């Protein structure tokens, strides 16, 4: 019996007991958080970042994430041309991972798709891997080691700083109790990574970095969230002067918990998109947001995303929408499974 690709994926997902996600529009119409849907078997040991890539054959682009399974860091993807499709296991990125990875899609390309870039800890080394997306069958390639002193996973972005045709890579990683900024000048891929400034000496988790639309010159600020004990703290760097120190912003939460993931959304009350983050507190993934129409306003607690969480979370705003704003998409880890919630 021959099955179509979609039918084969559905058949396989039922065979291994993986629940297929509900239709996005039906969930939005009910105005309720979606029930968590497990991404894949076998048993996982941590989640990582989620992105929406430029791959996709329908109106919605694919989701991509990286999942820790023992010491294997594995790439998973979801074909969003049909909301009934489940997640698909891709290639193993490295078999030496000792913590969660973080994935982005960069402006490096040799075909129609930007490369995937991943940072992942391997013992004390934080290592950069990349995938040449001109051919999806190509293996992942190991790049340079960013630091030999990592004590957490890293968070990576590509910024608008550039000395050639490619924006720099920016990473934050924990080294003991210091959260440190590293960057790579992508005008020459053979250059080593450079150590930037220390953001805080009181960190107790890895950090999450974005480049926001706040700017005093030609470059958007860097914004970071990181745990300092029970305190979830916001830091920012005014990129109008690269030599200026990082500055402490507001406290997001004083409830003890894990690391957080930060984004800037399309909710805009006055010239700047809101900051949105998710973090694990007391076994729950909690959503917090900051109304950036006034930087002096306090962070506000939103909804509980899911009560099924014990580890790293990822957050994006996707191109799924039933109104003016794209949906929020979260990956969370609990009891050997990685769940996608929106």
């Amino acid at each position: 019996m021959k099955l179509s690709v979609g039918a084969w994926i559905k058949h396989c997902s039922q065979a291994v007991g993986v629940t297929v996600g509900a239709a996005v529009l039906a969930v939005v119409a009910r105005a309720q958080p979606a029930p968590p849907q497990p991404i894949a078997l076998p048993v996982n040991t941590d989640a990582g970042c989620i992105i929406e890539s430029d791959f996709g054959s329908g109106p919605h682009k694919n989701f991509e994430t990286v999942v820790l399974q023992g010491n294997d860091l594995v790439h998973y993807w979801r074909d969003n041309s049909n909301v009934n499709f489940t997640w698909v296991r891709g290639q193993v990125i490295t078999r030496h991972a000792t913590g969660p990875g973080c994935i982005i899609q960069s402006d490096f390309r040799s075909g129609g798709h930007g490369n995937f870039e991943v940072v992942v800890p391997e013992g004390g080394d934080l290592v950069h891997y990349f995938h040449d997306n001109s051919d999806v069958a190509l293996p992942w390639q190991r790049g340079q080691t960013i630091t030999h002193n990592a004590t957490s996973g890293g968070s990576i972005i590509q910024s608008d700083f550039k000395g050639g045709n490619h924006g720099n890579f920016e990473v934050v990683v924990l080294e003991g109790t210091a959260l440190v900024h590293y960057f790579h000048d992508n005008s020459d891929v053979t250059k080593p990574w450079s150590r930037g400034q220390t953001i805080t000496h009181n960190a107790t988790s890895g950090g999450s970095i974005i480049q926001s639309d706040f700017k005093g010159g030609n470059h958007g600020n860097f914004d970071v969230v990181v745990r300092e004990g029970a305190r979830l703290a916001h830091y920012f760097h005014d990129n109008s002067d690269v030599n200026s120190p990082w500055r402490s912003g507001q406290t997001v939460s004083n409830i003890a918990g894990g690391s957080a993931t930060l984004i800037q959304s399309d909710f805009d009350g006055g010239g700047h998109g809101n900051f949105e983050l998710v973090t694990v507190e007391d076994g729950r993934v909690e959503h917090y947001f900051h109304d950036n129409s006034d930087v002096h306003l306090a962070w506000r607690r939103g909804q509980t995303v899911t009560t099924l969480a014990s580890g790293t979370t990822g957050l994006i705003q996707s191109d799924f929408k039933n109104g003016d704003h794209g949906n929020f998409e979260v990956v969370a880890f609990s009891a050997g499974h990685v769940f996608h919630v929106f």
Side-chain angles (χ1 to χ4, degrees):
M1 178 179 66
K2 293 184 177 181
L3 297 175
S4 68
V5 173
W8 182 83
I9 292 172
K10 184 174 181 180
H11 169 75
C12 289
S13 68
Q14 291 170 341
V16 298
V18 177
T19 305
V20 177
V24 171
L25 294 182
V27 172
V28 173
R30 293 198 304 272
Q32 295 292 328
Q37 304 294 338
I39 287 180
L41 297 176
V43 172
N44 307 302
T45 49
D46 216 332
C49 300
I50 180 174
I51 62 170
E52 192 166 30
S53 72
D54 64 12
F55 285 93
S57 57
H60 303 290
K61 298 304 181 182
N62 291 0
F63 293 150
E64 321 279 343
T65 192
V66 287
V67 175
L68 189 64
Q69 296 176 338
N71 291 121
D72 290 349
L73 187 71
V74 186
H75 170 220
Y76 281 84
W77 58 277
R78 186 176 187 271
D79 179 354
N80 284 329
S81 64
N82 185 331
V83 295
N84 292 313
F85 286 164
T86 191
W87 288 78
V88 178
R89 192 178 195 269
Q91 294 178 319
V92 175
I93 300 165
T94 172
R95 297 193 181 278
H96 306 288
T98 54
C102 189
I103 184 171
I104 62 170
Q105 187 168 30
S106 73
D107 63 11
F108 284 94
R109 65 180 64 212
S110 55
H113 301 285
N115 289 358
F116 292 147
E117 318 282 343
V118 162
V119 292
V120 58
E122 296 180 346
D125 292 344
L126 186 68
V127 183
H128 170 221
Y129 286 85
F130 64 96
H131 190 271
D132 178 352
N133 281 332
S134 64
D135 182 352
V136 295
L138 290 171
W140 285 79
Q141 298 182 59
R142 194 181 194 275
Q144 295 177 320
T145 297
I146 300 165
T147 173
H148 297 291
N149 300 309
T151 52
S152 74
S155 172
I156 182 172
I157 61 170
Q158 188 168 30
S159 73
D160 63 10
F161 284 94
K162 60 174 63 177
N165 297 322
H166 303 286
N168 289 0
F169 293 147
E170 318 283 344
V171 162
V172 293
V173 61
L174 190 65
E175 296 181 346
T177 59
L179 187 70
V180 183
H181 171 221
Y182 285 86
F183 64 94
H184 190 270
D185 177 355
N186 283 331
S187 64
D188 182 352
V189 295
T190 64
K191 287 184 175 181
W193 285 78
S194 298
R195 193 180 194 275
Q197 294 177 322
T198 297
I199 300 164
T200 172
H201 290 280
N202 302 309
T204 54
S205 76
S208 175
I209 185 172
I210 64 169
Q211 187 169 31
S212 72
D213 62 13
F214 286 94
K215 61 176 64 179
N218 296 323
H219 302 286
N221 289 358
F222 292 146
D223 290 89
V224 162
V225 288
V226 60
R227 286 279 176 185
E228 296 178 332
R231 176 177 181 252
L232 181 59
H234 170 221
Y235 286 86
F236 64 96
H237 189 271
D238 179 354
N239 281 332
S240 63
D241 179 1
V242 295
N243 296 313
S244 65
W246 284 79
R247 296 168 61 185
S248 179
Q250 294 176 319
T251 297
V252 181
S253 167
N254 282 308
I255 301 173
S259 59
T261 303
L262 176 69
I263 65 169
Q264 189 168 28
S265 74
D266 64 9
F267 284 92
D268 184 344
H272 300 286
N274 287 0
F275 291 149
E276 320 277 346
L277 68 80
V278 290
T279 186
V280 176
E281 295 176 344
D282 295 328
R284 304 182 304 271
V285 177
E286 302 289 1
H287 170 221
Y288 288 85
F289 64 97
H290 189 272
D291 178 354
N292 282 332
S293 64
D294 182 349
V295 295
H296 302 292
L297 293 172
W299 283 80
R300 296 173 60 186
R301 188 178 183 276
Q303 293 179 316
T304 296
V305 180
T306 176
T307 58
L308 300 172
S310 58
T312 308
T313 59
L315 170 67
I316 60 169
Q317 187 170 27
S318 73
D319 63 10
F320 283 96
K321 61 175 66 179
N322 195 29
D324 295 330
H325 303 287
N327 289 359
F328 292 144
E329 318 279 344
V330 169
V331 289
F333 173 74
S334 177
H337 295 285
V338 177
F339 293 91
H340 170 216
V341 188
F342 60 92

